[in-house]
Amino acid sequence: MKTAQEVSSGNIIKIGEEVFIIQKATYNKSGRNSAVVKFKMKNLITGQIKEEVMKASDKLDDIRLDKKTMQFLYEVGGDYNFMDQESFEQIALTADDLGDATNYLKEEMFIDILLYEERPVGVELPNSVEREVTYTEPGLRGDTTGKVLKPATIETGYELSVPLFVNIGDIIRIDTRNGEYLERVNNK
């Protein structure tokens, strides 16, 4: 059991007979009323997304999902295909099931698939991934007042802000929790 204020995005909760994955949790403490938490959550069975507001002290059932490491094979028409390395069984997840994980998936990458009652419902990414920069404008010399950033596109097509010294072909580390640049791993 967890209180509503202890629940964060990525947690799995059970309300009644329905199981939800929390996509966003916003804590709000006003001066007059009791603290509340606003949740954006996805039903793991139906796929329906809903928002709900609960008192911060409300008790919720915390659910643990099974994990199975699988290899990402390819994406076709919005279906992302994964293969179990032991049984060679293949499963497909939609972009809705994966959420922001689609920004970091690379063919032949190994990733943990989350299972609820033997049914795949999502993925668990590592905290950071390393990807190659495929496009960015060159940084202008002398334009270094403060923390100056420029847009860059990585090999998966995801666009993020990077420091001026990052160039095309550089390998950068990205925080998968917030989608931000962490560091340059190596440069061309």
Side-chain angles (χ1 to χ4, degrees):
M1 292 287 262
K2 282 187 175 182
T3 61
Q5 69 184 7
E6 296 173 325
V7 175
S8 61
S9 60
N11 288 143
I12 312 297
I13 60 169
K14 187 173 187 179
I15 301 173
E17 293 302 313
E18 296 181 303
V19 179
F20 298 92
I21 184 166
I22 303 299
Q23 294 182 325
K24 187 174 185 182
T26 309
Y27 180 80
N28 187 3
K29 170 75 172 123
S30 64
R32 296 178 185 226
N33 301 327
S34 60
V36 295
V37 182
K38 182 177 181 181
F39 293 114
K40 180 180 178 185
M41 50 193 181
K42 178 182 172 189
N43 187 313
L44 290 181
I45 306 302
T46 64
Q48 181 183 19
I49 294 176
K50 75 177 204 175
E51 292 188 4
E52 191 160 322
V53 178
M54 298 179 181
K55 290 181 182 175
S57 59
D58 287 350
K59 301 263 187 223
L60 300 169
D61 288 328
D62 188 27
I63 304 291
R64 298 279 175 228
L65 296 179
D66 296 327
K67 291 181 192 175
K68 188 174 215 173
T69 302
M70 296 183 132
Q71 183 180 25
F72 173 59
L73 299 175
Y74 56 88
E75 181 266 334
V76 173
D79 285 341
Y80 292 79
N81 296 280
F82 298 86
M83 182 174 65
D84 184 341
Q85 294 298 294
E86 294 171 9
S87 67
F88 301 107
E89 171 190 355
Q90 291 187 22
I91 61 163
L93 292 171
T94 65
D96 289 338
D97 292 333
L98 297 174
D100 291 340
T102 58
N103 297 331
Y104 313 107
L105 288 179
K106 188 175 166 182
E107 290 182 2
E108 300 181 16
M109 172 183 184
F110 289 93
I111 193 163
D112 287 334
I113 304 293
L114 300 174
L115 304 164
Y116 177 69
E117 295 180 352
E118 301 298 320
R119 183 177 163 266
V121 293
V123 297
E124 186 175 278
L125 289 171
N127 288 340
S128 65
V129 293
E130 295 176 3
R131 296 291 176 259
E132 182 179 347
V133 175
T134 56
Y135 179 77
T136 189
E137 295 291 330
L140 300 175
R141 192 171 204 85
D143 189 10
T144 57
T145 56
K147 185 178 179 183
V148 182
L149 300 174
K150 62 181 180 177
T153 304
I154 60 171
E155 57 194 299
T156 61
Y158 177 62
E159 189 173 296
L160 70 155
S161 296
V162 298
L164 290 177
F165 57 80
V166 174
N167 297 308
I168 295 174
D170 289 354
I171 306 295
I172 60 172
R173 184 168 289 128
I174 303 165
D175 188 334
T176 59
R177 296 167 292 190
N178 57 21
E180 294 180 359
Y181 167 89
L182 289 174
E183 64 183 339
R184 180 169 64 179
V185 178
N186 70 357
N187 56 333
K188 254 186 171 176

